[in-house]
Amino acid sequence: YIDLSYNDKAGGDRSTAVQHWVRFCGVMAVDGMWARPLAANASREEALAEEFLVMQYACFIVEERGCAPATAEKYVSTVQGWHARRFGCKLAGGMRMWRLKALLKGMEAAQGGKRPKKKRLGVKPRQLATAMARCLGGSSALEANWRAALETGFCGLLRGAELGTATGESWVPATGMTREDVSFRWRGGREEAVLNVRPRKKGARTVQGKSVEVLLVGGGRFLDPVRALRRLLAEDPMPRERWATTPLFRDECGAAFSTAKVRGVVKWLVDMEGGDSRLYGAHSLRMEAPPPRWRRGCLRSSSRPWAAGGATSTRCTRSSPMRRRARLGARWRMWTMTTLRALTTPRSCEAC
């Protein structure tokens, strides 16, 4: 059960920080052990020796792996939490590592201060629509899957792992989107699609189950995710009894799209449009958020989905996406809790 509390379902052993720690201790530790539980009656010299090993690990991350000191600090924190839950105690017996903080601060000063964040750009609706029309005609089942995945990810502000699965993970119907997780309905003379999604935010607490509904409105000028989903189901049919075990977006082998594949396709489309693919990735589908002046009707504006861990953080009136659907491609996300799923009428949504 403890292992299942982690996102990787393996007790955190697969995290990058822990894997680096295991390899580092195999070379630098005297006994070669990556499990470092220290007895409660250990001497101060033993605790300081363990602290020095952690300091060497931080230097390894910065000098050998080329990471920033801030990244090394996060790696140490990840290893601390993993070690505490795996072995019942933190590194160095839980001692406050004052020298480690000074070391990280000194390395940051030696590099001339904090490194600027890696520049990332978001794709625009017209840019994405033009690239897909040129490179993904949608005549085959694979092209229909990719068009539907990209349009749904853009209009629904979905992460790459939410479209399919994280790189290196196995897709399971309980957490990944299936054909059964999409439904269509007509309201106000327009067709809408509703997706049941499980949040996949890195570093956030694990949210069990597909707890969030994503509402997509059709009829966009550049992008129409509802029409793309309809076309997907027509080009890539599947018997209804297998919908519950079939990924919503899949490749020619039937496997769910991974974050790495989504990133690669986005970069490829940008290259075909003459852009710099180094500035784009899977997260670029979420970065071109509507400006605040188009967010009338929101109780609280937020360009970061799942900011409240699946609870209600942004609620738009149903008329808001209708007003801006032609400009943005019907891009909208509706946040719901279990108690709000009964509020289905437009008047109820506006009242909340």
Side-chain angles (χ1 to χ4, degrees):
Y1 289 121
I2 294 179
D3 290 349
L4 293 178
S5 67
Y6 290 79
N7 288 331
D8 60 0
K9 309 304 181 190
D13 295 346
R14 298 175 185 171
S15 67
T16 305
V18 174
Q19 290 178 355
H20 285 322
W21 171 257
V22 172
R23 287 192 289 265
F24 170 79
C25 290
V27 177
M28 298 300 298
V30 177
D31 53 3
M33 296 295 295
W34 43 267
R36 315 296 301 179
L38 202 60
N41 58 350
S43 64
R44 184 160 185 81
E45 288 73 16
E46 292 175 328
L48 291 176
E50 293 296 319
E51 181 193 25
F52 185 72
L53 182 65
V54 178
M55 293 169 63
Q56 287 180 307
Y57 171 70
C59 292
F60 164 77
I61 295 297
V62 174
E63 297 179 357
E64 300 295 333
R65 303 299 305 176
C67 299
T71 303
E73 184 178 7
K74 294 177 182 178
Y75 276 28
V76 171
S77 178
T78 300
V79 174
Q80 283 272 41
W82 163 81
H83 198 275
R85 281 189 274 189
R86 174 66 80 182
F87 305 106
C89 64
K90 291 186 176 182
L91 297 172
M95 183 184 69
R96 296 289 296 271
M97 301 187 191
W98 299 107
R99 294 190 299 174
L100 174 64
K101 295 183 178 180
L103 172 70
L104 294 171
K105 188 175 180 180
M107 287 192 295
E108 187 176 288
Q111 294 181 357
K114 290 186 177 181
R115 298 180 185 177
K117 290 186 178 180
K118 188 176 181 180
K119 185 178 180 181
R120 287 293 184 187
L121 298 179
V123 295
K124 296 178 173 56
R126 187 192 298 272
Q127 178 188 19
L128 182 60
T130 304
M132 289 193 302
R134 178 182 302 177
C135 306
L136 299 173
S139 57
S140 64
L142 180 61
E143 291 178 343
N145 272 275
W146 275 115
R147 285 187 67 102
L150 294 175
E151 293 195 33
T152 301
F154 183 93
C155 298
L157 291 172
L158 299 178
R159 295 178 175 85
E162 293 165 356
L163 291 174
T165 181
T167 304
E169 291 185 5
S170 300
W171 183 87
V172 291
T175 57
M177 279 196 297
T178 66
R179 294 287 179 92
E180 285 230 334
D181 291 326
V182 57
S183 59
F184 301 92
R185 66 191 183 194
W186 284 87
R187 182 164 295 175
R190 297 179 178 88
E191 190 175 19
E192 301 172 352
V194 180
L195 303 177
N196 294 323
V197 183
R198 178 181 181 269
R200 295 296 301 272
K201 183 177 181 180
K202 183 173 68 174
R205 63 181 179 87
T206 303
V207 180
Q208 302 295 337
K210 302 169 185 178
S211 57
V212 176
E213 292 180 349
V214 178
L215 175 63
L216 303 172
V217 184
R221 180 187 301 174
F222 304 118
L223 303 174
D224 191 338
V226 179
R227 181 178 57 189
L229 288 171
R230 285 288 192 187
R231 191 171 186 176
L232 164 64
L233 298 179
E235 295 289 341
D236 189 13
M238 180 65 60
R240 188 60 185 257
E241 57 270 15
R242 297 177 58 185
W243 279 22
T245 57
T246 302
L248 180 57
F249 309 114
R250 57 181 188 158
D251 57 18
E252 61 274 10
C253 299
F257 291 159
S258 65
T259 304
K261 290 183 178 180
V262 175
R263 184 187 307 114
V265 170
V266 171
K267 288 179 176 291
W268 172 60
L269 293 176
V270 171
D271 275 333
M272 297 303 294
E273 287 296 302
D276 188 357
S277 61
R278 295 174 299 177
L279 304 178
Y280 294 84
H283 209 70
S284 298
L285 297 174
R286 304 180 60 248
M287 294 176 63
E288 191 65 24
R293 62 188 179 89
W294 285 337
R295 290 190 184 143
R296 294 173 296 177
C298 299
L299 296 186
R300 178 162 52 135
S301 298
S302 175
S303 60
R304 296 183 178 272
W306 328 123
T312 304
S313 62
T314 302
R315 296 195 297 270
C316 301
T317 61
R318 195 169 299 277
S319 59
S320 298
M322 305 303 180
R323 290 195 299 266
R324 65 173 182 265
R325 64 186 178 85
R327 186 186 298 267
L328 293 175
R331 182 178 183 178
W332 185 50
R333 175 182 291 263
M334 185 177 71
W335 301 76
T336 58
M337 292 187 299
T338 305
T339 55
L340 292 176
R341 290 180 179 174
L343 305 177
T344 56
T345 62
R347 179 170 299 182
S348 298
C349 288
E350 293 176 358
C352 70

